[in-house]
Amino acid sequence: AVIPGWLEQMLNPPAMTQAEVDPSRERAMDGLSQLVLLQPRVVMNKLLPKLCKEPVDLMKVRGLGCLAACDSDDIIRSFSVMIPAVVSAMVCPEGLEDDSDLRIAAIASAGQFMKPIDGHGLSVLVSELTAAREADASP
């Protein structure tokens, strides 16, 4: 599958609030959801690096939520890339309120891709979060 150019347009320029998201970008997000349903692994492999690239914004975080339709094993293997991106969006960037569209979307997306995860996947998640925390605590 070829990822359409409009998906690239969906991600640029970065949007931090829902007010910055025009209808064409919403249609692109709907298209992404449909593509993930049709070819989840291909879409995940192509888009995950783009969706997790800094700066993480509203559309990238929502795109990560769309990947919840992928196989849970693929999601688990991608935790080390997905989790830092979502967590960075949950930590309010300067100038955004705690209830910002970005933070709300990050929490919703994390919930979406956690739904299909079993006990083993949760163990992997805890390990990833612990490793990230220890890395942040290191001088």
Side-chain angles (χ1 to χ4, degrees), residues 50-95:
K50 291 180 184 189
L51 295 175
C52 294
K53 185 177 179 184
E54 292 289 338
V56 177
D57 71 357
L58 184 62
M59 298 305 283
K60 288 178 181 177
V61 167
R62 288 179 56 200
L64 286 170
C66 289
L67 297 180
C70 294
D71 182 73
S72 61
D73 288 337
D74 290 334
I75 294 171
I76 292 167
R77 280 191 293 275
S78 301
F79 272 164
S80 64
V81 178
M82 295 171 86
I83 298 301
V86 172
V87 169
S88 76
M90 286 181 191
V91 176
C92 287
E94 192 168 323

Side-chain angles (χ1 to χ4, degrees), residues 3-85:
I3 305 299
W6 48 262
L7 286 177
E8 187 65 36
Q9 293 173 355
M10 175 187 81
L11 300 176
N12 292 305
M16 294 298 186
T17 66
Q18 189 59 41
E20 296 172 0
V21 178
D22 63 46
S24 66
R25 291 173 85 177
E26 288 293 345
R27 286 190 298 277
M29 184 63 66
D30 291 340
L32 173 60
S33 298
Q34 296 302 313
L35 279 174
V36 170
L37 291 174
L38 293 172
Q39 295 190 349
R41 184 168 283 161
V42 172
V43 174
M44 181 177 231
N45 289 339
K46 294 251 185 209
L47 282 185
L48 191 59
K50 291 180 184 189
L51 295 175
C52 294
K53 185 177 179 184
E54 292 289 338
V56 177
D57 71 357
L58 184 62
M59 298 305 283
K60 288 178 181 177
V61 167
R62 288 179 56 200
L64 286 170
C66 289
L67 297 180
C70 294
D71 182 73
S72 61
D73 288 337
D74 290 334
I75 294 171
I76 292 167
R77 280 191 293 275
S78 301
F79 272 164
S80 64
V81 178
M82 295 171 86
I83 298 301

Side-chain angles (χ1 to χ4, degrees), residues 75-85 87 113-114 120-136:
I75 294 171
I76 292 167
R77 280 191 293 275
S78 301
F79 272 164
S80 64
V81 178
M82 295 171 86
I83 298 301
V87 169
F113 67 73
M114 290 307 300
H120 167 70
L122 293 176
S123 296
V124 173
L125 173 63
V126 169
S127 296
E128 288 291 335
L129 291 173
T130 302
R133 184 170 180 233
E134 289 171 358
D136 284 345

